[in-house]
Structures are given as structure tokens and as C-alpha cells.
Amino acid sequence: MRLVQFTAKNVFRRPMRSALTVAGVAGGVAAVVALVGIAGSFERALTAVFERRGVDLLVSSAGGLQKTSSVLDESLCGQIAALPLARDVSPGLVDVYSFAEHDLFGVVARGVPPESFLIRDLEVLSGRRLAEGDVRCVMLGKTLAANLGKQPGDKLDVAAREEFEVVGVYESFSPLENGWLIMPLAELQRMMDRQGKVMVISVVARQPDEETILALRDEIAAMASNLEVLPARSFVGSMVEIRLARAMAWMTSALALFVGAISMLNTMLAAVHERTRELAVLRAVGWRKTSVLRLVLIEAVLLALGSAALGTLLGLGAVHLLSLFPTAGRLVVGDIGWDVIAQGFAVAVVLGVLGGLYPACRAARQVPTEGLRHD
Amino acid sequence: MTERAADVLLRADRVTKLYLDGHVLALGDVSFSLHRAEYVAVMGPSGSGKSTLLNVLGALDRPTSGEVYFEGQALGAMPSLDRYRNRKLGFVFQSFQLLPVLTALENVQVPMLECVRSDAQRVARARALLDNVGLTRRARHLPKHLSMGERQRVAIARALANDPPLLLADEPTGNLDTFSARGIMRLFTDLRYQHGVSILMVTHDPQLAAEADRILQMRDGRLVEP
């Protein structure tokens, strides 16, 4: 018999109580996996929208709290494109619209030049691509088209003030992008009253090596004093929306985790109390205080690991279910990273140690002679 | 038994234990020696200090004054009393104090979990001990499926897990029928003569005490003439 086997037997001694504790902590872990996972996968998916197309740098105006408030002169594109180290450049503008009659809120509208390399790889499922000179035309991602019930040739009210023609339905490698609509840059500039302005400029370096990219970044940054030039990952990571989503996910999870921690503490205190005499026997047969402490802590950690496993499954299940809903599926990308699952396990183990520490200390400090008299 | 100093395993020297800020005398100036392979019975009415004496000798409790010496070394000077309890002595309780979730075989291994021994070594040793106490076929049973006598045999096997030279037994036959009690006493006799284990046993049973080499009679926390 090993210590961990001994401990496991104690865990299964009160199966209902252990199961309820596991369920309590699992709720917190599921919240971490689902909420933090969704925030993380959204960030990864958005990063992939740029990185998969070889975007090395994103240029925006510095100092703004939100990247969407960035305003750059469109003419900057031409200047960057003229740099010898730059291979491809594409301006972009983003706005968010709602289609209340379809219960769709926060639909991303992306304005790019029809010839932009950023949309070149989109597979047209029906209709056609955007073309030079298109006016009041949009392409819809396949998820959005399905949610709106639109197909090429249909009319679409954008922002409840302008009617656009759906010219094509596309499929992207990115589930996120499948929920967007894409229109010519000039159209979105007009809609947003930002003629001649763009939000961000995507830049592909001539060579994808670090030296070239860094040199290109320095050259672009030197063009004007108000420019922020970042790799795609840093750009997305620094978006206030992403940071807020991440913070909100942790804050919401923290509440669930707090409940789990109290549940763990309560269970371990009860376990130590009902085993007062047994723990005293262990001390009587020569167990050190640290061994008794370890016994109780391992029990708490075993419960926590069970909670982590269950919570991870629940969290993954919840995310999968969400991604199946048409409206949520536009935002929820189901690929929860291993890092988030690891964080869920780490949080559970920390909860186990914290929830078990006080009861374990009480158990270890117990005077054996008093414990042996305990009923 | 000879009285040679080298044979002395344990010695209590003017051990006093006071409770409630000195208002209750549990032990007063108790002095005696226990020799190797000696069986000493401790008798006395309830509240006379017998269990307190066992607790002090077993380092579960510290004396208010006086000292206990084991193999010549003062318990107060030992670097680890846990180690003393784990390696040098075994406790046998009246109510067995087995861990209910563990089988007989696992209960016997509990003290060994503190020693640096492999799992296989622990199991082999526990099996051998259960064989010695006649419980070979009961090794996989939980305590609740064992008779009272069998439980006490498991407790004795556990007490012997780390091969200690001393057993401290607190009314080990108090919960047993006469037949089982005789079996336990035969086991103690074997331990003394075959393995040289010393036994200090608290008992109310004059017949069991009569088998002892010596009887320590206690009254009001003090040793008195039998």
C-alpha cells in the first residue's frame, strides 16, 4: 500500500460528499475552461486571420485605448508599399453592425480593397468575389449568410439605412471570419464617414525573417510619430476588447472558484473532524506531523484533480454546445487550448491545496492523547 | 530477570504529570525500570494514572517533571519522538484503533509508511506478521468483517510492524471474551520468549497480571506496594 492509495480510500469513504465537493470545484474549473478558453480561442482565431495570410506587421495609430478607434491616412499605404522591405500591404477598416430582426448583434463588417491579399484565399461557395468598382455590394461569410438566410442576389439592410446586394458567400479557414461580412473599403469608409481613412494597415515583409521584419518595423515607425507597429499576435493581444474579455472571463470564473474553494474547505474540515481519532492513531504509531499534513493535503489534491477532470469535460462540452448555436457560433470558436486546460488543472490543484491546508494543519497540530479520546 | 543495568530497556525517573495548572496530579514521582523481554503488568483503579503513565512512556505526553529513559537516552533529549514511537515501541489499545477503510494487511503497513521501505517490502513484512498472529487467511478483510479477537491480533501485528523492542498495551483484552483473551496472552508470551519483546500492560484482570514478571500497583497517580 502506498500513501496515495491510503488517501484514495479515504476519498471514497464518503462517496456522496466527495462527489458533491468534486461537483462544486468542477463548476469553477468548467467556468475557467469555458470562459477563459473562449476568450483565448477568440484571440487565437483573430490572430490567425492575420498570421495565416502572412501578415508580419499591423500598423495603427498610437495612443488610442481601442484599436477600433485608430485612424490612419489611407495614403500611408502607398508610402509603406514603396518601402523595399515591404512585399504586400492592405488597408482595412472595421465596424460592427446588428441585424436585430435576425437576433444578430455585433456582426463584424470588414472593409478591404477587393483585390486585397487578406481576402484572396476566401473560397467562394456561391456567387462571386468583390470586384473593383463594386458599389453597395457585400460578401457574406457562410455562417452569417445562413443566419441571415441570404444568398447571392439578395438584398441586405446594413445598419438599417442602406441596402446592399449580396454578391457572394464565402468560406474562410477561420470560423470567426465565416461570421463576418466583407465590403469594399470605400463603401465602409462612406458608411462610417471616414473617407480617405483606414483603421489598420496589414503589412507583409519581403522576407519573413526576424531581421527583415524588425528593420521594416523601424522604417514604418519612422514615417510618422503617431504610429504603432506591432506583430499580429501583439496587436491582437493588446486589443482592449480582448483584454477585457480575458479579465471578465477570469472575474466570472473567480466567483465560481470561490464557491468551489469553500466547498473544498468544508469537506476537508468535516473529513478531518470525523477522523480525529484515526489521525491520532497515526501520530501514536509514529507518523510525523508533516506526514499527517501530507495525507490530508493529498486527499484534497485528489479531490481537486477529480474536479479538474470533470470541470474540463463540462467546460469543453459547454463550449462545444455554444459553438453549435447559430448566433453564439459566430463568436465561439471551439478550439480550447491546452494552456487553458492546464490552467484549469492548476487552479483546481491550488484550490485543493488552499482548501486542504487549514484542515491539514489542524490535523497535524492535534494532540494525539486528546485525539485518541475523541468519539 | 537479572537486574543488570545493561538489561534495562526503559526507566522512569521520578515522573510527575500535573493537569489543570497543577491542580490535578495524574502521576506523582513514578520511578521504575523495565528490562528487556520483561512483562510488567500495571494495575490500579480507574483514574489512578495508568493510561497517563503509558502516554508518558510512549511519548504521547510530556511529563511535568522527571524523565523517561529509553536504552539509556532521555526522551526529552531525543531528536524525534515520532521516530521513537515509530521504531522503538508499539501501542496496543483496548479498542484496537484500526483504520476502518484499510484491510488487515494494509492496517499492518501503516507504521511502515514512515520508514524507507519499498511497497513490496512493506507487503511482505505485513504478511509475515499476520502469519505470526494466525491471520493469514484474513489479510484482505476490513476490520468490520473481523471478530474482536482478530481485530486485536491485527492491532498487535501493526504494533510489531517496525520490529520494536517494547509493546505498550492498554487493557488489550478488555473488549475480548475469555477465549480470545487467552489467545492474545499466548501471543504476548511468544513475543517475549521468541523475539525478546518487553511488554508493559495495563490490565484490570488479575489472572493476566498473575502471568507478569512484576506488577506495578498504582493509586492516585503513585506507585504503591501491591
Side-chain angles (χ1 to χ4, degrees), chain A residues 1-7 9-10 12-13 275 277-292 294-295 367-369 371-374, chain B residues 19 55 58 60-61 80-83 85-87 89 91 93 95 97-103 106-107 109-114 119 122-123 142 158 162:
Chain A
M1 180 185 65
R2 296 172 196 279
L3 186 63
V4 72
Q5 288 171 287
F6 180 13
T7 316
K9 290 193 176 220
N10 283 327
F12 289 108
R13 166 189 282 201
R275 295 212 297 270
R277 202 176 345 187
E278 292 172 34
L279 295 169
V281 170
L282 296 179
R283 297 280 289 124
V285 300
W287 276 39
R288 290 160 294 176
K289 286 181 178 178
T290 50
S291 301
V292 172
R294 201 166 59 216
L295 178 81
V367 178
T369 48
L372 288 169
R373 283 194 294 268
H374 190 268
Chain B
Y19 287 118
N55 288 340
L60 291 174
D61 214 345
S80 166
L81 292 176
D82 299 325
R83 190 179 169 85
R85 283 197 300 273
N86 189 245
R87 313 289 167 86
L89 58 90
F91 274 105
F93 305 95
S95 50
Q97 306 287 16
L98 298 176
L99 302 178
V101 291
L102 302 183
T103 63
E106 290 165 339
N107 261 291
Q109 294 175 58
V110 167
M112 292 187 257
L113 287 170
E114 279 296 281
D119 197 30
R122 280 195 295 268
V123 171
L142 292 172
R158 178 182 66 186
N162 291 328

Side-chain angles (χ1 to χ4, degrees), chain A residues 251-264:
Chain A
M251 280 168 62
T252 314
S253 303
L255 288 174
L257 289 170
F258 178 73
V259 174
I262 297 296
S263 164
M264 177 68 79

Side-chain angles (χ1 to χ4, degrees), chain A residues 174-226:
Chain A
S174 165
L176 211 57
E177 217 170 29
N178 287 332
W180 295 357
L181 65 85
I182 297 175
M183 63 174 71
L185 176 63
E187 290 294 285
L188 192 56
Q189 285 172 328
R190 184 178 53 73
M191 294 273 290
M192 296 174 70
D193 202 17
R194 284 200 194 178
Q195 283 83 357
K197 303 291 180 188
V198 297
M199 192 189 96
V200 66
I201 298 170
S202 304
V203 183
V204 181
R206 173 107 11 228
Q207 299 291 334
D209 58 279
E210 195 178 344
E211 195 181 341
T212 307
I213 293 169
L214 286 176
L216 179 59
R217 187 190 69 181
D218 292 344
E219 285 186 18
I220 297 170
M223 286 177 162
S225 59
N226 66 332

Side-chain angles (χ1 to χ4, degrees), chain A residues 71 157 167 197 199 205 279 331:
Chain A
V71 179
D157 242 4
V167 297
K197 303 291 180 188
M199 192 189 96
L279 295 169
L331 300 170

Side-chain angles (χ1 to χ4, degrees), chain A residues 6 18 49 103 107-108 134 204 219 243 277-278 281:
Chain A
F6 180 13
S18 295
V49 164
D103 277 339
V107 175
V108 172
D134 274 347
V204 181
E219 285 186 18
R243 287 157 71 173
R277 202 176 345 187
E278 292 172 34
V281 170

